[in-house]
């Protein structure tokens, strides 16, 4: 009996040692997992940053090419092109109206995109961030968005006029291209232009 009692502390010491070793191993495993997760998170952040940088560089190159080709747009220039192109169309001068309408459509679209780019931080914001914006600032941004949408409507109208000119000149293939391009862009709210483009397309392909 006395002998057993003298061995008990040794057994407890051994069991305690095993517990300590196990705890150390568990801690090491946890630290290793945490370290691995941290490394993976850092790698993900690095990849995301690299992708963002690449996307930005590509956007810069694309914008540079557009500026070289289309220049710095202005409302005055676009309005002048619109009046000239529409005047040629109304004079039944389709051969000269088509290139003028194409130029107007391209410049109107370019200016619309430039205006929309100025609103990009709002578009990229979360719903809560957008809702927290002061009403006065929201009204200001809405006015710019309206201007951009009006320019897009001008572009769409020019596409429809090009299609009508091409059809009248016997170029049914080009007429169909421009009708379909316009219908891809026309808003459901622009019912009159939608009806005009749809009717013209169906007439071109002889659908009654």
């Amino acid at each position: 009996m006395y002998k057993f009692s003298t061995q008990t502390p040794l057994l407890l010491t051994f069991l305690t040692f095993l517990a300590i070793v196990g705890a150390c191993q568990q801690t090491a495993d946890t630290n290793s997992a945490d370290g691995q997760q941290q490394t993976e998170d850092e790698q993900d952040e690095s990849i995301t940053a690299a992708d963002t940088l690449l996307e930005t560089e590509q956007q810069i190159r694309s914008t540079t090419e557009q500026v070289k080709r289309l220049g710095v747009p202005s409302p005055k220039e676009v309005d002048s092109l619109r009046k000239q192109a529409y005047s040629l169309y109304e004079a039944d001068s389709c051969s000269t109206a088509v290139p003028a309408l194409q130029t107007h459509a391209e410049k109107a679209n370019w200016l619309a995109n430039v205006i929309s780019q100025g609103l990009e931080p709002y578009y990229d914001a979360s719903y809560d961030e957008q809702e927290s914006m002061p009403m006065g600032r929201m009204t200001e941004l809405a006015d710019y968005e309206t201007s951009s949408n009006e320019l897009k409507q001008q572009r769409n109208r020019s596409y429809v006029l090009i299609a009508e000119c091409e059809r009248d000149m016997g170029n049914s293939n080009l007429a169909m291209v421009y009708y379909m391009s316009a219908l891809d862009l026309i808003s459901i709210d622009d019912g009159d232009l939608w009806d005009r483009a749809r009717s013209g397309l169906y007439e071109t392909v002889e659908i009654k």
Side-chain angles (χ1 to χ4, degrees), residues 70-82 104 107-108 110-112 114-115 151 154:
L70 298 173
V72 178
S74 71
K76 183 178 180 180
E77 177 195 17
V78 172
D79 192 54
S80 176
L81 291 170
R82 178 186 63 81
H104 168 255
K107 288 293 185 75
W110 176 223
L111 182 55
V114 169
I115 295 173
L151 287 163
Q154 288 185 28

Side-chain angles (χ1 to χ4, degrees), residues 112-113 115-116 119 123 142-156 187 190:
N113 289 341
I115 295 173
S116 293
L119 307 176
Y123 295 145
D143 289 341
Y144 287 122
E145 186 174 52
T146 298
S147 297
S148 177
N149 290 337
E150 288 174 351
L151 287 163
K152 291 175 183 177
Q153 289 177 338
Q154 288 185 28
R155 171 204 61 198
N156 299 344
S187 168
D190 199 351

